């Protein structure tokens, strides 16, 4: 059984090595999550540890999917910092171990983030994904709206520039009903 749980800053440091392994597996499988091959395990672990302060400060949130006491997936949410953007956040780094895909873990992580964001009073989420990727199918089937694509926006893990599609999701909040 898979359990989706938010992690604190100290917990993120504890999970950094396991999250680094997950990230390496995802990148080696072709996931475009900001890193190029070969991805060094220590560099990936440091990247995760560096997020801990933002998690503790509340500007970033991280969830993990635990599957038999192993991290099977992760997702992050970064709140906008500017005063005119406090109603929104960016979803990032949705990753599921290649061996755990096809079991609904990605959708469960996405649903957990959406639910938490709505409970925190956010009304808009944004994300980006490599155009034509498997992740795009998940976002579209989960009700996310594509709002534009930029060609050659980011390099895939092999260094080839690929297009990126941007998505948004409006969240239902009680104070928005009836508008």
């Amino acid at each position: 059984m898979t359990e989706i749980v938010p992690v604190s800053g100290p917990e993120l440091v504890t999970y950094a090595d396991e999250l680094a392994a997950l990230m390496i597996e995802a990148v080696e499988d072709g996931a475009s999550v900001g890193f190029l091959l070969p991805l060094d395990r220590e560099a990936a672990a440091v990247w995760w540890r560096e997020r801990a302060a933002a998690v503790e400060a509340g500007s970033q949130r991280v969830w993990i999917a635990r599957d038999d006491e192993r991290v099977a997936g992760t997702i992050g949410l970064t709140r906008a910092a500017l005063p005119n953007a406090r109603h929104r956040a960016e979803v990032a780094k949705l990753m599921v171990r290649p061996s755990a895909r096809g079991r609904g873990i990605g959708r469960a992580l996405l649903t957990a983030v959406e639910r938490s964001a709505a409970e925190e009073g956010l009304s808009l989420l944004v994300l980006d994904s490599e155009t034509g990727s498997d992740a795009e199918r998940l976002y579209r089937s989960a009700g996310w709206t594509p709002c534009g694509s930029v060609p050659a926006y980011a390099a895939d893990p092999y260094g080839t520039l690929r297009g990126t599609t941007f998505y948004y999701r409006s969240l239902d909040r009680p104070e928005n009903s009836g508008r």
Side-chain angles (χ1 to χ4, degrees):
M1 180 172 171
T2 303
E3 177 185 26
I4 310 296
V5 295
V7 294
S8 67
E11 289 170 326
L12 186 57
V13 171
T14 300
Y15 282 111
D17 289 332
E18 201 169 349
L19 286 164
L22 163 65
M23 182 181 283
I24 290 168
E25 283 184 40
V27 171
E28 287 177 347
D29 196 53
S32 182
V33 290
F35 296 90
L36 302 174
L37 289 170
L39 179 54
D40 177 74
R41 187 177 181 115
E42 183 54 29
V46 166
W47 187 89
W48 284 107
R49 284 192 217 82
E50 288 175 347
R51 313 274 82 71
V55 169
E56 274 305 291
S59 61
Q60 189 167 22
R61 306 263 324 265
V62 175
W63 288 258
I64 60 168
R66 286 194 301 224
D67 193 8
D68 298 324
E69 299 305 314
R70 178 177 164 185
V71 174
T74 187
I75 193 169
L77 183 70
T78 303
R79 294 185 76 113
L82 296 173
N84 73 338
R86 291 191 179 136
H87 65 289
R88 66 177 160 89
E90 180 181 2
V91 174
K93 303 294 181 271
L94 172 57
M95 293 179 269
V96 176
R97 285 190 188 278
S99 62
R101 291 187 186 147
R103 298 190 326 222
I105 295 171
R107 184 172 301 273
L109 285 161
L110 192 57
T111 299
V113 165
E114 292 170 359
R115 185 176 299 123
S116 179
E119 289 170 359
E120 291 176 26
L122 298 173
S123 61
L124 180 67
L125 297 179
V126 296
L127 60 80
D128 64 82
S129 184
E130 181 181 317
T131 303
S133 68
D134 289 342
E136 269 201 307
R137 285 191 291 280
L138 169 63
Y139 301 135
R140 288 176 190 257
S141 70
W144 285 70
T145 303
C147 56
S149 296
V150 179
Y153 185 79
D156 68 13
Y158 308 100
T160 303
L161 292 177
R162 303 284 184 192
T164 296
T165 301
F166 294 85
Y167 289 84
Y168 72 92
R169 174 88 186 222
S170 295
L171 303 175
D172 292 329
R173 290 179 24 198
E175 63 270 21
N176 291 341
S177 62
R179 286 187 188 186

